[in-house]
Amino acid sequence: MKPSLSRRGLLTSAAGITAGLTLAGCGDYRPVSAKAANAKAPLPSYIPYRGVPTSMPATADGVAAGHLHYPAHPVEALPDGPPARGPAIDIMTLIFNPVPPPVERNVMWQALNRSIGCDLNFQITPVADYPSKFAVTIAGGDLPDAMLMLPPSQNSAATPGMLDALFEDLTEHLSGDNIRDYPYLANIPSASWAPCVLGGGIYAIPMPRPLSGGPVFTRLDLIGKRGLDPNPKSWPEFFQLCQDVTDPKHNQYAMGDPITAFDTVMQMLGGPNKWRVEEGRFTWWFETEEARQTLDAVHRMTKAGVMHPDAYSVTGKVKDWFGTGQIVINPDGPVAWNDFYTMYAPTTKGFELGYMMAPGWDGGEGVQWQGQSYYGMLILKKAPKARVKQILRAMNALASPFGTDGFLLRKYGVRGADHTVKGSDPILTPKGQAEVTLPTIFATDAPFTLYYPARPEVVRAQYAFQKEAIERLVPNPTEDLYSPTNAKMSALLQKTLDDTRKGIMQGRVPLKEWDEAMRNWRKQAGDTIRAEYEQAWEARHS
């Protein structure tokens, strides 16, 4: 199998190798074994914030808090004044949105700097270019004070040796009860902190994300028009629902992305979330019988015509297909819930979203794959202790939770210029919509909160989904483990395997070729990755 690379994959791999060679050449970088890379460190104590009561509270097992309205009198996040007075802090990070106006024309950014006590100089790179930017910056050695690091599984330059050579070990500042000096960072759940431990130290601050993962969204309005049950109880009922909602004459189909269709069926079968671990032995999800059965099932869906006709040839259109009713079922991330209502409900009469929990293949309940507990992590270059503490105080302020004036400022900007108020809820102005894209969430953030002032009733459905999802969660056991071979090779091999599985699901490639693809994967890197994860697991659980 000859892997083909996307532009991002090529840049990531090439730049990551360059960074590794440069560090090795300077004498500071020492490769470490998988066992040493996964040495334990004490996590920060988890001290949840209790300042804003709600009838939909967060839970210790991962349900996010829900709020119908913003408090009329927000809690003062920083009652002692700006916490990080001192020199400016340079933060290199990424953005998905258009770049916001510069600080001299951005009243939200100016107000944020005043509240923090120093200038936050965000160096912003579009998301597609960030992996190469990261690696080139590491290789050049001219480091900002803080920079976003994507997970090592997506970033071959993110090695424990590199962190040890160039970045601050934050263990003495953040482990255990030391984190009480930074109460809003202490409000970040432990699951999000676990991946920040590499090489026996806490080397980063997480950007937390909800454990529930994203729902399988349904267009309840379209399903209801046909008098169908939106909650199938088994694979046969799900397949029948897909056939019943498909109407090619009206350009309506069940699903639009074979990869998320694969994920949905795997969860019906109870398949592993990337890896399965049993008594310290690891099995990759593609190796399982569940994967073979899923490939065949999605091929049946394709053959039955329930997949959008462009599902295998067009990318980047699935959200729009779902929002405009061309597809009726669409797995997506939790933040998409509000986005769909914002983008499509105003122009679609009766627009209504639901969610589908994966049924068991033969009945009963399927599983819900746990979402990645963090998007990325913020690493701090080596600096004197006083400077490190100043940066940590600034990041603590950027994690001020829902219900505080600090959260309101980060998300909605300055009242009048950036938002108006309806009742007690902020409504962004056009100026605010541009200014609040400042990517503070890609430095750190408060835990995910369910809140949608445009339609408060939606929050109840979101909270109900979270409660159901948490009961069925299957974690990815490698999320907080480091495999050097996986970091270097997985993106290349995944691209090739995705081409093969799409071919099988589309009917261009016979199912029997999957066995050969798995043999090649094991030979090229898979067995080495497995061994490294097993060593890592032993290091963390011994």
Side-chain angles (χ1 to χ4, degrees), residues 15-93:
I17 292 169
T18 301
L21 291 173
T22 302
L23 283 170
C26 77
D28 291 329
Y29 168 70
R30 295 195 314 273
V32 296
S33 68
K35 188 170 184 178
N38 290 277
K40 293 182 286 190
L43 292 177
S45 299
Y46 173 49
I47 309 170
Y49 176 72
R50 305 290 190 190
V52 181
T54 174
S55 61
M56 294 175 281
T59 66
D61 54 0
V63 176
H67 294 267
L68 299 180
H69 298 286
Y70 213 82
H73 303 286
V75 176
E76 189 175 2
L78 306 170
D80 297 325
R85 293 184 178 91
I89 300 171
D90 296 332
I91 305 170
M92 191 180 95
T93 191

Side-chain angles (χ1 to χ4, degrees), residues 148-156 158 195 372 374-377 479 487:
L148 179 150
M149 185 177 81
L150 293 169
S153 61
Q154 303 169 26
N155 179 8
S156 60
Q372 187 168 290
Y374 71 115
Y375 174 79
M377 52 186 93
E479 182 180 273

Side-chain angles (χ1 to χ4, degrees), residues 262-494:
F262 179 94
D263 293 349
T264 301
V265 177
M266 277 286 279
Q267 290 169 89
M268 294 181 193
L269 288 161
N273 184 355
K274 300 300 185 286
W275 288 87
R276 175 180 286 150
V277 59
E278 296 172 321
E279 298 183 350
R281 301 302 177 192
F282 279 69
T283 303
W284 199 39
W285 63 320
F286 280 177
E287 295 180 281
T288 62
E289 181 56 35
E290 293 98 324
R292 285 180 58 88
Q293 191 171 346
T294 296
L295 289 169
D296 180 63
V298 180
H299 174 230
R300 288 174 59 191
M301 292 172 64
T302 305
K303 189 175 179 181
V306 304
M307 301 293 293
H308 192 284
D310 294 330
Y312 292 91
S313 58
V314 175
T315 59
K317 292 289 188 180
V318 176
K319 284 180 181 289
D320 194 54
W321 291 343
F322 182 69
T324 58
Q326 294 182 53
I327 60 174
V328 178
I329 301 168
N330 183 46
D332 208 327
V335 298
W337 208 316
N338 292 0
D339 291 343
F340 280 130
Y341 273 109
T342 299
M343 293 176 65
Y344 299 102
T347 58
T348 305
K349 185 178 180 180
F351 185 95
E352 185 179 5
L353 292 182
Y355 64 88
M356 176 191 300
M357 302 304 300
W361 181 264
D362 294 316
E365 294 183 349
V367 300
Q368 173 79 11
W369 286 343
Q370 181 173 299
Q372 187 168 290
S373 64
Y374 71 115
Y375 174 79
M377 52 186 93
L378 192 76
I379 51 179
L380 279 53
K381 76 174 181 181
K382 289 184 182 294
K385 184 175 290 188
R387 176 64 163 167
V388 172
K389 288 186 174 182
Q390 181 207 3
I391 297 172
L392 289 175
R393 289 194 296 270
M395 296 307 110
N396 180 69
L398 293 186
S400 54
F402 182 92
T404 65
D405 57 0
F407 184 99
L408 187 65
L409 174 60
R410 292 199 317 277
K411 308 295 184 179
Y412 295 94
V414 176
R415 183 168 179 173
D418 294 316
H419 72 264
T420 57
V421 177
K422 183 178 180 180
S424 61
D425 294 311
I427 307 296
L428 285 172
T429 65
K431 180 179 178 66
Q433 290 171 2
E435 293 193 345
V436 302
T437 61
L438 185 71
T440 60
I441 62 171
F442 298 119
T444 189
D445 201 6
F448 186 71
T449 302
L450 305 170
Y451 174 62
Y452 189 51
R455 293 189 179 214
E457 70 279 2
V458 169
V459 175
R460 298 193 189 279
Q462 294 173 337
Y463 191 72
F465 161 72
Q466 294 248 330
K467 292 183 71 175
E468 287 191 70
I470 291 297
E471 293 295 321
R472 304 187 186 190
L473 281 191
V474 172
N476 173 2
T478 67
E479 182 180 273
D480 61 347
L481 303 180
Y482 177 74
S483 159
T485 304
N486 185 66
K488 293 175 184 176
M489 299 289 292
S490 63
L492 298 173
L493 297 177
Q494 184 75 44

Side-chain angles (χ1 to χ4, degrees), residues 63-310:
V63 176
H67 294 267
L68 299 180
H69 298 286
Y70 213 82
H73 303 286
V75 176
E76 189 175 2
L78 306 170
D80 297 325
R85 293 184 178 91
I89 300 171
D90 296 332
I91 305 170
M92 191 180 95
T93 191
L94 57 77
I95 197 167
F96 286 81
N97 305 100
V99 175
V103 64
E104 60 269 18
R105 293 191 287 108
N106 190 320
V107 297
M108 175 269 190
W109 196 342
Q110 295 168 19
L112 183 66
N113 287 346
R114 289 194 297 271
S115 74
I116 298 293
C118 67
D119 289 341
L120 300 180
N121 296 330
F122 282 89
Q123 303 169 7
I124 304 170
T125 300
V127 60
D129 299 324
Y130 191 79
S132 58
K133 172 73 171 178
F134 177 91
V136 169
T137 301
I138 295 295
D142 185 14
L143 303 176
D145 299 304
M147 56 195 299
L148 179 150
M149 185 177 81
L150 293 169
S153 61
Q154 303 169 26
N155 179 8
S156 60
T159 68
M162 176 272 290
L163 291 172
D164 180 61
L166 301 177
F167 293 92
E168 195 70 37
D169 181 349
L170 302 172
T171 307
E172 68 170 299
H173 301 278
L174 301 177
S175 64
D177 283 350
N178 294 325
I179 202 169
R180 288 183 179 274
D181 290 339
Y182 313 99
Y184 298 144
L185 294 180
N187 182 46
I188 297 175
S190 298
S192 297
W193 282 104
C196 297
V197 173
L198 287 163
I202 301 172
Y203 275 93
I205 302 168
M207 299 157 200
R209 295 296 184 267
L211 293 185
S212 64
V216 178
F217 289 106
T218 57
R219 283 290 301 272
L220 279 183
D221 51 327
L222 300 178
I223 294 173
K225 284 181 180 179
R226 295 173 179 266
L228 302 172
D229 183 351
N231 297 298
K233 305 301 188 295
S234 64
W235 155 257
E237 289 190 16
F238 171 77
F239 190 30
Q240 186 63 53
L241 174 64
C242 290
Q243 293 172 301
D244 290 341
V245 298
T246 297
D247 185 358
K249 290 182 179 179
H250 293 91
N251 196 30
Q252 181 174 298
Y253 301 87
M255 300 189 77
D257 178 11
I259 298 301
T260 56
F262 179 94
D263 293 349
T264 301
V265 177
M266 277 286 279
Q267 290 169 89
M268 294 181 193
L269 288 161
N273 184 355
K274 300 300 185 286
W275 288 87
R276 175 180 286 150
V277 59
E278 296 172 321
E279 298 183 350
R281 301 302 177 192
F282 279 69
T283 303
W284 199 39
W285 63 320
F286 280 177
E287 295 180 281
T288 62
E289 181 56 35
E290 293 98 324
R292 285 180 58 88
Q293 191 171 346
T294 296
L295 289 169
D296 180 63
V298 180
H299 174 230
R300 288 174 59 191
M301 292 172 64
T302 305
K303 189 175 179 181
V306 304
M307 301 293 293
H308 192 284
D310 294 330

